[in-house]
Amino acid sequence: MIISKTPLRMSFFGGGTDFKDYFENCKFGYGSTISTSIDMNVYITVNERFDGKLHIVYNESELCDHASEVKHNIIRNALQIVGIDTGIEIIYMADLPIAGVGVGLASSSALSVGVLNALHAYKGEHVSKRQLAEEACHLEIDLMGQPIGIQDQYAVAIGGFNRYRFHRNGSVTAEPVICKKEVMEELHSNLLLFFTGITRDSGTILGNQKQNISDRMDQLDELVESVDRAYEFLADGDVDQWGYALDKAWQTKKQLSGKISNPVIDEMYNAAMGAGALGGKILGAGGGGFLLVYARPENHEKVKEALKDYKHVDFNFTYGGSQIIFNGR
């Protein structure tokens, strides 16, 4: 039996600049994001099956003879990438019961990376986190045709609090955000996470955003620049500037597509700002999922009261990416 554990991620700045259509053509020669892995995980269990069939368990259950018959797109393609056709059982579980739908925490990429990691381990193959990210990008973008960027696959495979750069030549660099421990603790203590109650098809929103890239290069350039400013704010220990920068970046991000926000999100965001928040954003593609709010601790109760109709979710930053937590082979 093999069990992999892959974190979800929280993206702060630069979302949208990880599309190849942008970073292969922009003036910088790269796109850039800042994100962290968090303590919500996707777990994949892989075990040999005695009858030689394929058994896939998620919110449905599939029993197949061959990988080509599997309905679940991510799992079917992962089996084909790794070269396993039959004879195993795969079980998909997650800390969030909603992790299988669009909530902005990169659950699809965590599933892709996690199942690839577990299947490689089942075959006795050790692969690097970068290879897992590259294979997950190939799976989601090339094989499944998803109109998405490439930040999520690297963020969940590598893990930690990093600034990523996606270079024109195809390389990806991950640089840990370096700051004093108390600065990172202050940042965490100033962040609140609320579930909007809305799940959505991120592909539709990202597809619209992708179509607009050539007309939104100035806004995307601004988002790349916001990454470097945010990086310096933490290095300098100026945490509140991070909050103000979130607000500025959110106003810019909304210009990339009319589908990124909606009246519910706008009402939540304005209520939080009216209660003393300095900034915030919708995580992921937009349209729903989780709203991240930056507010000083003395205003947290006011923000929670203003958003009392929405579930507040605790979280922590983590510093490890996808890993094999049990290997019984």
Side-chain angles (χ1 to χ4, degrees):
M1 177 182 289
I2 304 291
I3 303 176
S4 70
K5 175 184 176 183
T6 305
L8 302 183
R9 71 93 186 94
M10 179 177 286
S11 181
F12 298 106
F13 295 95
T17 72
D18 57 319
F19 281 93
K20 290 184 179 181
D21 307 62
Y22 172 74
F23 64 73
E24 289 183 350
N25 299 290
C26 71
K27 65 181 182 181
F28 303 108
Y30 60 82
S32 188
T33 61
I34 286 183
S35 65
T36 184
S37 50
I38 58 176
D39 60 343
M40 303 174 191
N41 299 281
V42 166
Y43 300 89
I44 303 295
T45 299
V46 176
N47 198 25
E48 185 174 8
R49 188 170 170 88
F50 78 97
D51 62 3
K53 291 183 178 291
L54 274 175
H55 187 211
I56 316 297
V57 181
Y58 44 109
N59 58 341
E60 298 182 21
S61 179
E62 299 186 45
L63 187 63
C64 310
D65 291 318
H66 300 285
S68 61
E69 301 170 6
V70 174
K71 296 178 183 178
H72 195 294
N73 285 343
I74 290 177
I75 295 175
R76 182 183 67 251
N77 283 297
L79 286 164
Q80 293 172 348
I81 287 173
V82 179
I84 296 176
D85 186 55
T86 194
I88 62 170
E89 181 173 59
I90 301 174
I91 301 175
Y92 163 38
M93 297 175 289
D95 287 331
L96 286 179
I98 51 176
V101 296
V103 294
L105 298 176
S107 56
S108 293
S109 292
L111 171 57
S112 298
V113 168
V115 73
L116 286 164
N117 200 3
L119 291 174
H120 278 298
Y122 179 81
K123 290 186 66 178
E125 300 169 351
H126 173 74
V127 296
S128 69
K129 293 182 178 182
R130 287 184 179 273
Q131 180 177 334
L132 290 173
E134 290 168 0
E135 289 183 350
C137 288
H138 173 59
L139 189 161
E140 296 185 71
I141 298 172
D142 300 326
L143 300 182
M144 292 179 56
Q146 292 294 315
I148 60 176
I150 63 173
Q151 67 157 316
D152 290 353
Q153 299 86 352
Y154 284 88
V156 301
I158 295 173
F161 204 122
N162 301 307
R163 174 173 63 182
Y164 295 91
R165 285 185 174 173
F166 312 98
H167 299 275
R168 182 176 293 153
N169 64 6
S171 65
V172 177
T173 54
E175 180 182 6
V177 174
I178 305 299
C179 64
K180 294 181 179 179
K181 180 181 179 181
E182 54 266 31
V183 172
M184 191 62 74
E185 290 174 347
E186 181 181 357
L187 174 63
H188 176 262
S189 69
N190 288 357
L191 295 173
L192 297 168
L193 189 63
F194 297 91
F195 182 51
T196 64
I198 304 171
T199 59
R200 74 288 185 272
D201 177 8
S202 60
T204 301
I205 299 169
L206 291 170
N208 181 255
Q209 184 178 318
K210 187 174 187 290
Q211 290 176 351
N212 295 339
I213 284 176
S214 62
D215 296 326
R216 301 291 189 273
M217 295 298 282
D218 289 344
Q219 289 86 349
L220 289 162
D221 289 347
E222 169 59 27
L223 292 175
V224 168
E225 292 171 347
S226 76
V227 169
D228 291 337
R229 287 195 297 269
Y231 185 93
E232 294 301 323
F233 290 148
L234 290 190
D236 295 340
D238 197 346
V239 182
D240 277 353
Q241 287 301 320
W242 178 282
Y244 292 122
L246 278 176
D247 176 60
K248 185 177 180 180
W250 171 239
Q251 303 309 324
T252 302
K253 180 72 179 287
K254 288 192 295 182
Q255 298 175 41
L256 301 182
S257 168
K259 298 179 181 295
I260 288 175
S261 193
N262 58 44
V264 172
I265 293 171
D266 289 341
E267 182 179 351
M268 289 181 69
Y269 191 83
N270 292 336
M273 295 294 282
L278 302 186
K281 64 171 300 226
I282 282 288
L283 297 177
F290 284 92
L291 175 69
L292 181 70
V293 174
Y294 180 102
R296 298 185 184 110
E298 59 265 28
N299 290 321
H300 279 195
E301 290 307 314
K302 294 179 184 177
V303 172
K304 290 178 182 178
E305 177 61 24
L307 298 178
K308 63 183 179 181
D309 294 333
Y310 302 94
K311 183 175 178 58
H312 171 243
V313 180
D314 290 322
F315 68 92
N316 288 297
F317 302 152
T318 61
Y319 294 89
S322 184
Q323 57 185 304
I324 302 300
I325 59 173
F326 181 81
N327 189 338
R329 294 287 285 172

